[in-house]
Amino acid sequence: MAEREFGSLLRELRAAARLTIEELSEASGVSVRAIGDMERGKVSSPQRRTAEALADGLKLAAQDRTRFLATVKTRPRAGALAQLPADLPVFTGRRAELRQALAFLDERSQEARAVVIGAIGGMAGVGKTALALHWAHRIAVSYPDGQLWVDLRGFDRGGQVLDAGQALGGFLRALGVADSRIPAGTDDRAALFRSKLAGRRVLIVLDNARDSEQVRPLLPATAGCLAIVTSRNQLTGLAATHGARTLTLDVWKPDEARKPWPAGSARTGWRPSRRR
């Protein structure tokens, strides 16, 4: 959406809250001049943390907050990571599951100090990876420092499960750490990984995990990061220890498998696919 739409909505919400610009400035910590410039459309693109501060000052309900923050155009930063596999041009069904996945973020929108973890479980071939990738591409713009992705090969038939330390080595290289400076031990690698993510907004997709123990060293600790995990197992351990939100996929219903998204859908425009 255009920046002027952000300003118009800000003015509308401020009027609904019966706040003057000065009162909103005091409540949010954003300057009077900055708020005025936003409302007049003079600001090229407000930073997300500024928009979040304004949302806090306005005391917006969850639905209004989501609508307000959706008008912020977050641009990828120079040199941002981009490891996500290409999104599928076609897709079908899973509308309810996608809405639930997106709702994970909406529910946590007022918990700015929390790391969000979404775990997608289900039997082989049910579409976990496809849903995770669609979800990730849909929200990637909100993570301007980029995306990390790894296939953990948790159920590899040849037994070549990817060790967490190996996965961390790949992530650290992607984050610019030279091989000579990557620690040997998994715990030390995990600590360095968390340090490298400090102050960044990064989306991490951990595909095909074997269990919670394989995943834990790969989780961020920085507020504003999101980890999406897929596994054939139900990762209840992550829910217990890290507050992960879990989503279980069942086999498609016949009508869901056949029915495509409407042409030109405002939400996605996806089409049918047989990919898992």
Side-chain angles (χ1 to χ4, degrees):
M1 296 185 179
E3 288 78 16
R4 186 168 296 276
E5 293 182 12
F6 174 87
S8 298
L9 183 56
L10 173 60
R11 185 169 55 251
E12 173 190 321
L13 292 171
R14 180 176 62 78
R18 298 184 178 181
L19 294 175
T20 65
I21 290 181
E22 290 76 14
E23 288 170 337
L24 178 55
S25 173
E26 183 176 353
S28 66
V30 180
S31 72
V32 170
R33 180 174 179 178
I35 295 173
D37 286 347
M38 290 176 204
E39 291 193 355
R40 290 189 293 272
K42 291 185 176 181
V43 175
S44 59
S45 182
Q47 295 185 12
R48 187 175 178 85
R49 62 173 175 248
T50 299
E52 290 173 343
L54 289 168
D56 290 340
L58 290 164
K59 295 182 172 57
L60 297 179
Q63 185 174 359
D64 287 337
R65 183 185 181 95
T66 298
R67 181 167 65 103
F68 180 62
L69 294 179
T71 63
V72 179
K73 297 185 72 173
T74 306
R75 297 178 175 85
R77 297 181 182 135
L81 303 161
Q83 291 192 348
L84 282 182
D87 194 7
L88 292 177
V90 292
F91 195 76
T92 189
R94 302 304 188 196
R95 303 184 192 189
E97 291 85 353
L98 179 63
R99 284 194 295 268
Q100 186 176 344
L102 293 170
F104 289 167
L105 299 182
D106 294 344
E107 292 168 7
R108 294 294 182 88
S109 62
Q110 301 198 41
E111 297 180 28
R113 291 184 292 243
V115 175
V116 181
I117 303 169
I120 302 174
M123 62 185 291
V126 79
K128 301 180 295 296
T129 295
L131 177 61
L133 286 178
H134 276 299
W135 179 17
H137 279 281
R138 178 78 176 271
I139 61 177
V141 69
S142 297
Y143 298 87
D145 292 305
Q147 316 96 38
L148 292 168
W149 174 88
V150 66
D151 181 358
L152 295 173
R153 304 199 300 266
F155 300 90
D156 186 88
R157 291 183 179 180
Q160 300 298 313
V161 177
L162 189 68
D163 179 79
Q166 292 176 287
L168 284 166
F171 282 169
L172 289 171
R173 293 183 190 94
L175 290 164
V177 180
D179 284 348
S180 60
R181 300 186 66 85
I182 296 177
T186 298
D187 289 346
D188 290 336
R189 288 186 178 193
L192 180 57
F193 175 60
R194 291 191 294 269
S195 297
K196 286 295 179 180
L197 291 184
R200 302 191 187 196
R201 289 181 61 87
V202 176
L203 169 60
I204 302 167
V205 179
L206 307 172
D207 194 22
N208 198 21
R210 179 183 56 199
D211 52 34
S212 298
E213 293 306 313
Q214 186 186 24
V215 167
R216 284 193 179 98
L218 305 171
L219 296 176
T222 297
C225 286
L226 166 67
I228 300 174
V229 188
T230 73
S231 177
R232 295 183 194 178
N233 291 325
Q234 300 303 310
L235 303 178
T236 54
L238 292 184
T241 61
H242 290 77
R245 304 304 305 272
T246 59
L247 174 62
T248 302
L249 297 189
D250 201 349
V251 295
W252 286 343
K253 299 176 182 177
D255 60 335
E256 182 184 47
R258 290 191 299 265
K259 188 175 182 180
W261 283 83
S265 168
R267 289 182 62 82
T268 61
W270 292 333
R271 299 290 189 275
S273 171
R274 294 184 180 180
R275 178 173 171 179
R276 69 178 182 86

